[in-house]
Amino acid sequence: MNVKLKLIFGSVALMAIISIILGFFYFYPYFKSRDTFLTIKSPKEVLIGVPFEAEINFKNESESTIKDVSLSVILPDEVFLVDEPEKRVVLKDFKNLKSGDEFSEKIKITILGEEGIIKQFEVKISYLPEALGPKAIFEKTKKFEVLVKQAAIKIDLSSPQKVLNNEEFEIKINYQNISENDFSNLSLELNHPKFFKIKNSEPLQINKNSFEIPILKKGASEEIIIIGSAIAPEQSFFDISAELKTFIGGVKQTINKKSANINIASSPLAVSIKVNEQQ
């Protein structure tokens, strides 16, 4: 009986040892195929409207070839590729990478929208280890964040708080490039209700409600003065806004926007008549 037990236990132990050895040789390529490194270089903070580069580096440090290597980058809202602003995901295939091979991919990006928020990017690399067959898909994912500071071009819009019906008044729009980049082909669009009429401006408008800015060098500041009037119900309010736009990949996008709220005051003549009636 003892001999039989010893034989049984011996057989079980032998099978266990064989399983461990076979498992080691099967999973060894799996662990070695994970010897890949993904790094990302990007600025920690950017100005709205200023293009910047994110550099993605990937290296195969395993002992075998990895196949069908592909890169994907998911872009957050209001983040645009400079050359292809309609794309929301960056996709690129690199085919096979031998042991020791690497690639570097740079993507040029511009961020628009609100200031003072953090944009998070997700970078994903997928590949097939040569030793494990076509069903063993590996993925490496890394995220990076960029703080969106203020707009690259500041705008100040000043106007009176109250105006009289059909009385001419002045609106001043100052804008300054606070970035280290020169901007070209800008336009400043004035948004206002139909009852506001522009009488004059300096410089003169070329297009309706739009001022073209061919170039704005870094540190430069300029001013637009608009003379206009409005006719609307007394004690009503209306908004006037200045919207600075630039072209990204042939598409107009807003860099910065400022607005003013104006009140149509009661006519002094109407107040005088009411006072006289009370007397």
Side-chain angles (χ1 to χ4, degrees):
M1 186 71 177
N2 290 337
V3 174
K4 287 183 178 180
L5 284 174
K6 286 181 180 180
L7 287 172
I8 292 171
F9 283 123
S11 299
V12 171
L14 181 62
M15 290 176 65
I17 293 169
I18 292 171
S19 298
I20 292 170
I21 293 171
L22 290 174
F24 172 79
F25 282 107
Y26 180 81
F27 287 105
Y28 178 75
Y30 170 84
F31 292 109
K32 294 306 293 179
S33 296
R34 296 176 66 87
D35 291 339
T36 56
F37 291 90
L38 172 61
T39 58
I40 301 165
K41 295 178 183 176
S42 170
K44 298 294 183 185
E45 52 188 42
V46 297
L47 295 175
I48 297 171
V50 175
F52 67 95
E53 280 188 344
E55 182 180 342
I56 300 161
N57 298 286
F58 182 74
K59 186 173 184 180
N60 177 16
E61 291 197 353
S62 70
E63 295 178 357
S64 59
T65 298
I66 55 177
K67 295 183 173 182
D68 297 335
V69 181
S70 66
L71 162 72
S72 68
V73 183
I74 300 173
L75 301 177
D77 292 340
E78 297 180 314
V79 176
F80 301 91
L81 294 175
V82 171
D83 297 324
E84 299 175 287
E86 72 283 354
K87 278 192 173 182
R88 303 310 310 142
V89 180
V90 179
L91 294 172
K92 191 150 188 181
D93 294 324
F94 295 92
K95 296 185 178 179
N96 302 339
L97 287 181
K98 295 179 181 178
S99 177
D101 284 356
E102 59 186 307
F103 72 77
S104 179
E105 182 71 14
K106 293 180 180 179
I107 55 175
K108 200 169 185 180
I109 306 166
T110 299
I111 299 180
L112 303 176
E114 297 179 32
E115 60 183 43
I117 62 175
I118 293 173
K119 296 290 186 182
Q120 187 178 80
F121 299 76
E122 183 178 276
V123 178
K124 185 182 291 184
I125 305 286
S126 63
Y127 58 92
L128 302 174
E130 187 177 50
L132 297 182
K135 293 185 178 180
I137 300 175
F138 284 8
E139 287 186 349
K140 280 216 164 178
T141 301
K142 189 167 266 191
K143 295 180 180 180
F144 68 98
E145 295 180 340
V146 177
L147 171 64
V148 184
K149 297 183 72 179
Q150 59 189 324
I153 302 175
K154 289 177 61 177
I155 301 178
D156 290 315
L157 188 154
S158 62
S159 70
Q161 292 182 333
K162 291 185 177 183
V163 297
L164 296 174
N165 257 324
N166 208 28
E167 178 189 49
E168 290 188 359
F169 62 94
E170 184 179 87
I171 298 170
K172 286 186 178 180
I173 304 169
N174 294 280
Y175 54 94
Q176 181 184 10
N177 182 359
I178 61 171
S179 77
E180 294 299 314
N181 294 51
D182 296 339
F183 281 85
S184 59
N185 298 322
L186 297 168
S187 65
L188 192 142
E189 297 183 5
L190 193 70
N191 303 308
H192 58 79
K194 291 181 179 179
F195 58 75
F196 174 78
K197 304 298 180 185
I198 296 176
K199 304 296 180 68
N200 196 10
S201 68
E202 176 60 41
L204 292 172
Q205 289 174 287
I206 297 175
N207 300 317
K208 185 180 179 182
N209 297 337
S210 180
F211 297 85
E212 303 305 314
I213 306 167
I215 189 164
L216 187 65
K217 292 187 174 294
K218 64 178 183 180
S221 61
E222 296 183 13
E223 182 180 70
I224 295 173
I225 299 175
I226 298 165
I227 306 296
S229 64
I231 299 178
E234 293 182 355
Q235 299 303 318
S236 64
F237 292 83
F238 67 97
D239 289 327
I240 289 180
S241 66
E243 196 167 357
L244 193 69
K245 295 188 175 184
T246 186
F247 283 96
I248 299 176
V251 179
K252 253 188 181 182
Q253 304 282 1
T254 299
I255 295 179
N256 201 355
K257 182 178 180 179
K258 286 293 170 68
S259 61
N261 185 253
I262 302 172
N263 174 226
I264 302 289
S266 298
S267 168
L269 180 60
V271 174
S272 175
I273 290 171
K274 286 183 180 179
V275 170
N276 289 333
E277 284 177 352
Q278 288 175 358
Q279 288 176 349

